[in-house]
Amino acid sequence: MADTPDTSSYELIRTPATTMAKDQSVLLNLMSKPAGSIAVILPDVLSSVNLKYVKLGYHYLISHAMVLMVIPILIITLAESWFRIGWDDILQLWENLHFNLVSALACSGMTVFGVTLFVMMRAQPVYLVDFACYKPEEARKCSNEKFLQASVLTGGFNDETMAFQRKICARSGLGDNAYLPESIINDPPVRKGQPNMRQARDEAELVMFGALDELFEKTGIKPKDVGILVVNCSLFNPTPSLSSMIINHYKMRGNIKSVSLGSMGCSAGLISIDIARDLLQVQRNTYAVVVSTENITLNWYFGNDRSMLLSNCIFRMGGAAILLSNRDRERWRSKYELVHTVRNHKGADDKCYSCIYQQEDEHRNVGVSLSKDLMSVAGDAFKTNITTLGPLILPVSEQLLFFANLIARKVFKFKIAVLDELEKNLDLSEWYMEPSRMTLHRFGNTSSSSLLYELSYMESKERIKRGDRVWQIAFGSGFKCNSAVWRALRTVKRPLRSPWLDCIVNYPVKAPPL
């Protein structure tokens, strides 16, 4: 399978919103094009070659309208000045500057002050220097059959529930090489009430410190250089916090700005990046570390409520750490620059709020329930998010079309297909969905860190080229849909250290349809 699709300057991305909701998180290499070439094109326009070139001409004209207007004016002005102003006029202007030295210095001073103020007040660029994804040891590998056998040995599941879990494992797209912590898959088998806080801490330390050790080794940054630390884990929130565990282990400095996020779901990784970006705007010339993980030990469901069993079947052990910086000198070695973050929360709607809900079943077994409304809720949240993100990334030409379309619908009551209709019918090709599907196959759903395993997959396939924009989107309980858009600062070669290093040549594999 080719690593890059055959695409034109404008790409059509069409998929049902429900398709996007089937994966807990989706990372897309949005375009293998410079930032100015992205556009969303209506299908009926692309079906006609003539109309296609009319539209391409329109996009080119609008995108370069300022240049096309300014250049003729500039040429006319320069020509007029050349013929009207002679050398005597230039010498006289120079002599006048000598007599008005104070005015000239004042004007220059104001110019310098204005430029300095602009530089100081502008938003600090945020660079992703590098990241690391934790890869557990081989002893933690757990095939689907091993998982099902361990589930039988717990004694907590009836025959119907086991048949349901077997069906989920067969259809989920999860392979046989994902990982589970020792507290879950052990000998003798785990039983209800056996996993404890010490085991949960052991899992958290193993994952977080493993990812951070690799990150510090890859970047050469010392833990004491880090000024901001943001850690997210949805279902495990001990005291002291996970951020405190990291600070204690690495003996980080006392004035570090630390944040621990809990109960934010699978989209918490992007929330953490957004928080780190905001902190980097006020704390200059520093580094920020974001750690995303989930803890399985204390969150295994031992009951027979089918709505709570999905997490057992697809969630697996994993975590990732990212190094961000606002230091200008870090740009040369950074991989990406953060362009936009968009966060949407649908929690005001009761249906959205309760579609992913941690609760007890009738036998007081705690689990996370997924309602039948999850797909429609995720689709609506995705629609809201992409509609918010669109004006930020689309070229002026597309924004003008959207504005004209909006006026036509709202004012003149025309029924015209617009961006929101296009969103409902997005149809991503297998190439775009591949990183998400292959990550689920190899590592399972690692919650908020899944996005980084997917990005690592793309880097290992050497798909990231200089100037590309990468769109990360994730869904989480609440209900939330969050996005981040990155711009590749360089062409990324296959990393020397990657969780995919020993198996990337075997991917992609044929995964069952979701």
Side-chain angles (χ1 to χ4, degrees), residues 183-223:
S183 57
I184 299 298
I185 303 298
N186 58 9
D187 189 16
V190 65
R191 295 186 182 277
K192 179 182 176 182
Q194 285 184 344
N196 54 51
M197 178 65 75
R198 181 63 263 170
Q199 291 175 321
R201 284 183 176 272
D202 288 342
E203 180 193 347
E205 291 175 358
L206 192 65
V207 173
M208 294 190 305
F209 299 163
L212 285 168
D213 286 346
E214 181 179 335
L215 181 69
F216 290 137
E217 183 180 341
K218 290 170 70 173
T219 60
I221 299 299
K222 298 178 181 179

Side-chain angles (χ1 to χ4, degrees), residues 46-273:
L46 287 179
S47 64
S48 169
V49 175
N50 293 332
L51 289 178
K52 173 181 177 180
Y53 284 107
V54 170
K55 180 134 187 174
L56 288 175
Y58 161 77
H59 282 291
Y60 183 85
L61 180 64
I62 297 298
S63 300
H64 299 84
M66 184 62 69
V67 176
L68 294 175
M69 288 188 297
V70 169
I71 289 180
I73 295 174
L74 183 61
I75 292 175
I76 293 172
T77 302
L78 290 176
E80 185 72 15
S81 300
W82 177 260
F83 289 112
R84 287 182 176 272
I85 299 177
W87 286 109
D88 293 338
D89 296 320
I90 296 175
L91 291 175
Q92 186 177 357
L93 180 62
W94 175 254
E95 290 176 357
N96 289 336
L97 287 177
H98 282 286
F99 292 111
N100 295 280
L101 184 60
V102 175
S103 300
L105 289 177
C107 184
S108 300
M110 290 297 294
T111 302
V112 172
F113 175 77
V115 172
T116 303
L117 187 63
F118 171 77
V119 172
M120 293 181 63
M121 295 297 292
R122 69 183 177 92
Q124 290 286 298
V126 175
Y127 305 115
L128 192 160
V129 181
D130 211 334
F131 65 96
C133 298
Y134 175 68
K135 183 181 179 182
E137 59 185 5
E138 290 297 302
R140 302 274 55 82
K141 276 189 177 180
C142 180
S143 65
N144 286 324
E145 190 59 37
K146 184 177 181 180
F147 157 76
L148 291 169
Q149 290 175 359
S151 296
V152 171
L153 294 175
T154 63
F157 305 106
N158 58 39
D159 292 341
E160 292 183 359
T161 299
M162 287 306 307
F164 176 74
Q165 292 186 76
R166 186 173 295 277
K167 183 183 299 184
I168 292 295
C169 289
R171 297 182 179 180
S172 66
L174 182 67
D176 289 326
N177 293 307
Y179 305 90
L180 281 172
E182 185 177 3
S183 57
I184 299 298
I185 303 298
N186 58 9
D187 189 16
V190 65
R191 295 186 182 277
K192 179 182 176 182
Q194 285 184 344
N196 54 51
M197 178 65 75
R198 181 63 263 170
Q199 291 175 321
R201 284 183 176 272
D202 288 342
E203 180 193 347
E205 291 175 358
L206 192 65
V207 173
M208 294 190 305
F209 299 163
L212 285 168
D213 286 346
E214 181 179 335
L215 181 69
F216 290 137
E217 183 180 341
K218 290 170 70 173
T219 60
I221 299 299
K222 298 178 181 179
K224 287 188 179 295
D225 295 331
V226 178
I228 298 167
L229 174 64
V230 184
V231 183
N232 68 82
C233 183
S234 187
L235 295 176
F236 181 57
N237 299 285
T239 300
S241 65
L242 296 179
S243 60
S244 295
M245 291 168 60
I246 293 173
I247 292 170
N248 175 263
H249 179 78
Y250 290 100
K251 309 304 177 187
M252 291 178 165
R253 64 197 200 196
N255 65 343
I256 188 172
K257 305 296 188 295
S258 64
V259 180
S260 289
L261 298 179
S263 305
M264 301 297 283
C266 296
S267 65
L270 296 182
I271 298 175
S272 297
I273 290 172

Side-chain angles (χ1 to χ4, degrees), residues 307 345-359 368-374 377 476-479:
S307 68
H345 205 302
K346 312 291 285 188
D349 184 286
D350 290 340
K351 184 175 70 172
C352 298
Y353 173 75
S354 59
C355 70
I356 301 178
Y357 205 89
Q358 187 178 29
Q359 59 186 356
V368 177
S369 174
L370 306 179
S371 80
K372 61 182 180 181
D373 297 320
L374 177 59
V377 166
S477 58
F479 189 84

